[in-house]
């Protein structure tokens, strides 16, 4: 984890040192909820991330043990990424970010999905772990 | 909210457009958990934020309706900040960031406090709302 400097051992500052920028959490989102797993899929996700920034964030997330690189199961020459157990453990953070935005901003998430997050949180989290791109 | 450009109506991207940088969430942390409320207190928090960055983030957070500026109750010439209801609603995000760091990184949070977050989550959240610096 040499690339990440820790300035404090406050847990929130520590978390933000690791993934405290917009792009890192959008990569985690793509792997966790969107079924995206390759460099090309992240680029095509429509968030206008520059290729050099994406490459940098993928290295940082891998260094931090949140994602892992592997080979595509069918086309072994193709690189795909997946969430490690540490990355999968970010699911509750993502759920709370979603619920906060749903409460305070105009967003596109379906009411049924928001309801599942709120009322059947444990099941929603366990389903997310199953459907996420895993390392 | 003219200063914040929304590139997507994905709830996670929306949240990150608003406070998706390290400094914004550290200001929210200071108001929510540390009893810090003034420009000088944020600067003295030991995270090495530059004064121009802090000033910029305070304006953005105010524009986004997460914090509000007010006068110090005793010394009316002094400006203090507080969390709005929208800002207080970030408490579950902060709790999940803390629990994630506690599980995967070395941090300084006391075991008793982590336990309260995990086992008595609803009470912890309601206590946090009471002790946070409010607008």
């Amino acid at each position: 984890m040499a690339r990440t400097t820790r300035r404090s051992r406050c847990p929130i500052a520590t978390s933000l040192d690791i993934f405290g920028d917009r792009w890192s959490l959008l990569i985690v989102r793509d792997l966790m909820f969107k079924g995206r797993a390759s460099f090309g899929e992240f680029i095509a996700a429509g968030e206008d991330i520059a290729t050099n920034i994406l490459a940098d964030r993928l290295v940082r997330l891998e260094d931090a043990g949140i994602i892992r690189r592997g080979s595509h199961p069918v086309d072994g020459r193709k690189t795909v990424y997946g969430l490690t157990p540490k990355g999968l453990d970010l699911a509750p953070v993502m759920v709370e970010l979603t619920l906060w935005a749903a409460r305070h901003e105009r967003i596109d998430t379906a009411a049924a999905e928001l309801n599942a997050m709120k009322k059947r949180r444990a099941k929603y989290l366990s389903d997310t772990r199953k459907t996420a791109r895993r390392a």
Side-chain angles (χ1 to χ4, degrees), chain A residues 52-69:
Chain A
N52 62 325
I53 303 282
L54 174 58
D56 173 78
R57 295 308 187 275
L58 288 169
V59 169
R60 281 170 189 254
L61 286 169
E62 201 180 356
D63 282 352
I66 290 172
I67 66 174
R68 202 175 299 135
R69 228 178 328 163

Side-chain angles (χ1 to χ4, degrees), chain A residues 64-80:
Chain A
I66 290 172
I67 66 174
R68 202 175 299 135
R69 228 178 328 163
S71 299
H72 190 280
V74 178
D75 181 355
R77 293 162 305 179
K78 205 175 149 187
T79 297
V80 287

Side-chain angles (χ1 to χ4, degrees), chain A residues 114-129:
Chain A
L114 292 170
N115 227 26
M117 288 183 197
K118 270 188 280 196
K119 313 270 167 158
R120 296 178 297 281
R121 180 185 169 94
K123 183 177 187 311
Y124 185 87
L125 289 172
S126 108
D127 288 350
T128 297
R129 286 173 170 273

